[in-house]
Structure formats: C-alpha cells, structure tokens
Amino acid sequence: MSEDTAVPTQQRTPVAKESGISALLGSAAGRNTGLVVALVLLCVGGVVTAGDRFADVDNLLTILRLAAVIGVVSIGMTFVITGGGIDLSVGAIVALSSVWATTLATQGIANDTHWIVMVFTALLVGGACGLVNGALIAYGRVVAFIATLASLAAARGLAEIISNRKTQIVNVPGFAAFFDASVLGVPVLVVIFALVAVGGWVLLNRTTFGRRTFAVGGNPEAARLAGINVRRHTVMLYSLLGLCCGLAAVMLIARTTTGSATHGGLYELDAIAAVVIGGTLLSGGRGTIAGTVFGVLIFTTLSNVFTLNNLSISAQAVAKGAIIVVAVLLQQRLARRSGA
C-alpha cells in the first residue's frame, strides 16, 4: 500500500515544479523581466559593435523619437488584439491622416486660426477610419483581416488621390516648434508616447472598459451573456486605434515636416510585432501595455544597431521575422503548459 501511495507522490512532484516554472514565465513580471533582459542585451551588443556611436545621448534620444511614433500606434493595437481583433490598415490610416492634415486648405485654416487645427484634423480622420473598420467588423460581420485589408488599400489610395502623389510641406508657424521642443531635456514626442502609454495602462487595467476588453477577447459569447454589448465595444476598440493612428500621424508630420501618402509604410507589421513580443496573445483575452512598450523599444533599438553597423534593411527584416516566430512559439508553449 505504501508503494502505491509513493508512486503518485513521485509523479506529482515534477509536475508541481514545472507548473511553478510555467507560472513564473507566464506571469506579467516574468515576461517583462525577459523583455528587459533582451533590451539590455541589445544595448550591450550596440555598445560592443558600435561603441560611442550607440552610447551617445543624441543616438539614444533618436531611438526614443523613432520609437514614439510607432509606439503610439502599438498602444492602440494592443487594445484591438487584446479584444480579439487585428488591424492591417494602421499604416495607411497614418498616411491618410498625415495627408489630410497637411493639405493647402487645412494649412490655410491653421494659419488663419491656430496649428491645433491640423492636430484635430488628423485625429478626426484617424478616428473616422477606425470607426468604419469597427462598424464593418462588428455590424457588417466582415472578418477583421479582410475588412482592414480593404481599408489598407482604400486609405492608401485615397491618400494618393488627395496628395496627387506629392509630398506636402508644412508651412504653419509654431507647429514644428512645439513638437521639436523638449521638456526637461526629453523630446516632446517622447513625452507624448509616455503619456499615451500611461493612459493606455490605466484604461486597460483600471477601468471597466479594460475589463470588458479582456472579456470580449477571451470569450465573446460569454461576454455577451454577461451583458456586455460586444459589437459596440468592438467599434470602440477600433475607433481608439484610429485615434492613436491620427496622433501618430501628427507626430510623424512634426518629425518630418511633411505629409505624404508613403508615410506609415509597414507600420501594421511593426505594431503587431511589438504587441506580440510584449506578451499580448494574438488570440485575444490577454494584453499588456508595459510589454508593448518594451517590444517597441526592442525593435527600434535592433534597427538602430543594425543601421550603425551598416547592415542592410533586408537583414533587419530577417532578424525581426525570426524574433516574431520565436515569440509566437514561446506563447504557444506557455499556453499549452498553463492549459495542462
């Protein structure tokens, strides 16, 4: 009898240890620690291979400026993916918002009143695009992949029509000066990204809207039965992402002093990659703003290190692809362990 009871005990002990390790790796603290370690290793690699060119303060600020624009888009993408959706049109929405905000008519109104008109225009265009995407998916019952793929083509084409495929130069006094300024040595663009990240974290983790987002992404039918208006919430998620795209367009206009139909190229891939690397499940139901921020910083730093070492864009793409695959495989493995 004692032998029978001893065998199960021996079998259960390794399982308990494994579940403890899985719980640690699957926890938010464990995932974020891994991301911090990865970022530190990238920085060490940058210092070793590029020396003072990488460690220079101006270069670090450049990394943060580059991360800020795609970071704002990625924060919005975190909400959509956590809610069980996907959006392939964010880059095109950024382009359309930038073009519409820099047309001669818009800049004329801005010159007569205030440059804030350009900001409102970009936010309005981005929010409207997100609203259309959400309505098509929630009420038109179009698959998110197809709906946003169609929006990608339509928004990019409309941006080309409006701009006549020409780059529009910003000539509004005060606009570039405001966004080129610094707050305690920190560029305004980076401050905006930080504020959006903090606001996104609070919205996702400390509000009813965030709890409903997790519920809709985890099990839409259960969320509906619990009294959540899943369709309306879906529209709100895509509208929120659209607003983030509009804000990112403003930041991109400020950084380049132009509006162009070519802006936002491959932003959808960069944003999704940052979100996945950060630990948000592609299947929905789990999302992390802090992880997304680290994911954005990792990819931006990686690109910077590659650029400083004169490595090709193709090599960067290969490296990013490999990282995404590893992240997804790790997600699947942790999901199977937690399920077991």
Side-chain angles (χ1 to χ4, degrees):
M1 186 69 179
S2 60
E3 293 179 357
D4 293 338
T5 56
V7 173
T9 302
Q10 293 174 353
Q11 291 176 343
R12 284 196 299 269
T13 301
V15 174
K17 291 181 179 179
E18 184 178 355
S19 61
I21 296 174
S22 299
L24 177 62
L25 293 175
S27 66
R31 291 192 301 271
N32 289 339
T33 300
L35 292 171
V36 171
V37 171
L39 182 58
V40 170
L41 291 176
L42 271 176
C43 291
V44 171
V47 172
V48 171
T49 58
D52 293 339
R53 290 183 300 157
F54 177 83
D56 184 71
V57 174
D58 289 337
N59 182 62
L60 297 180
L61 291 177
T62 297
I63 292 175
L64 292 176
R65 287 192 189 95
L66 294 174
V69 178
I70 187 62
V72 169
V73 177
S74 299
I75 296 298
M77 185 70 80
T78 302
F79 280 87
V80 168
I81 294 180
T82 301
I86 196 74
D87 194 336
L88 303 179
S89 65
V90 290
I93 293 176
V94 168
L96 179 59
S97 299
S98 76
V99 165
W100 213 313
T102 56
T103 59
L104 292 177
T106 305
Q107 291 196 55
I109 297 174
N111 281 318
D112 293 337
T113 55
H114 194 276
W115 56 260
I116 199 70
V117 170
M118 295 173 60
V119 177
F120 284 141
T121 300
L123 292 176
L124 182 62
V125 172
C129 291
L131 180 64
V132 171
N133 281 340
L136 286 174
I137 294 166
Y139 295 98
R141 297 185 181 277
V142 181
V143 177
F145 181 89
I146 300 300
T148 57
L149 184 62
S151 296
L152 181 156
R156 187 74 70 177
L158 184 57
E160 292 178 351
I161 293 173
I162 293 174
S163 65
N164 198 24
R165 296 190 175 184
K166 295 179 180 178
T167 299
Q168 300 174 159
I169 308 298
V170 176
N171 293 308
V172 179
F175 179 83
F178 176 83
F179 288 99
D180 284 342
S182 298
V183 179
L184 300 177
V186 181
V188 168
L189 295 183
V190 178
V191 173
I192 294 174
F193 176 36
L195 292 176
V196 171
V198 172
W201 185 89
V202 172
L203 184 61
L204 186 62
N205 297 284
R206 293 292 184 269
T207 67
T208 301
F209 182 86
R211 289 191 291 274
R212 289 177 176 174
T213 300
F214 287 119
V216 170
N219 191 325
E221 182 60 22
R224 185 186 67 81
L225 294 175
I228 298 175
N229 190 327
V230 175
R231 291 184 179 180
R232 184 177 64 187
H233 194 80
T234 299
V235 173
M236 293 172 67
L237 288 175
Y238 281 92
S239 298
L240 176 62
L241 176 53
L243 288 174
C244 288
C245 291
L247 180 58
V250 173
M251 298 166 70
L252 192 56
I253 293 169
R255 203 182 75 199
T256 63
T257 66
T258 63
S260 173
T262 61
H263 281 336
L266 297 181
Y267 270 23
E268 54 278 352
L269 298 182
D270 289 341
I272 293 171
V275 171
V276 172
I277 289 297
T280 298
L281 288 180
L282 276 174
S283 56
R286 190 185 80 189
T288 162
I289 298 296
T292 295
V293 172
F294 283 122
V296 170
L297 292 176
I298 286 173
F299 275 117
T300 308
T301 304
L302 178 68
S303 297
N304 183 262
V305 172
F306 272 56
T307 300
L308 291 177
N309 286 281
N310 296 320
L311 297 176
S312 68
I313 297 178
S314 300
Q316 294 182 36
V318 172
K320 288 182 179 180
I323 292 173
I324 295 170
V325 170
V326 170
V328 172
L329 290 176
L330 183 60
Q331 278 191 4
Q332 292 177 345
R333 185 172 183 180
L334 290 176
R336 287 196 298 267
R337 283 185 176 182
S338 61

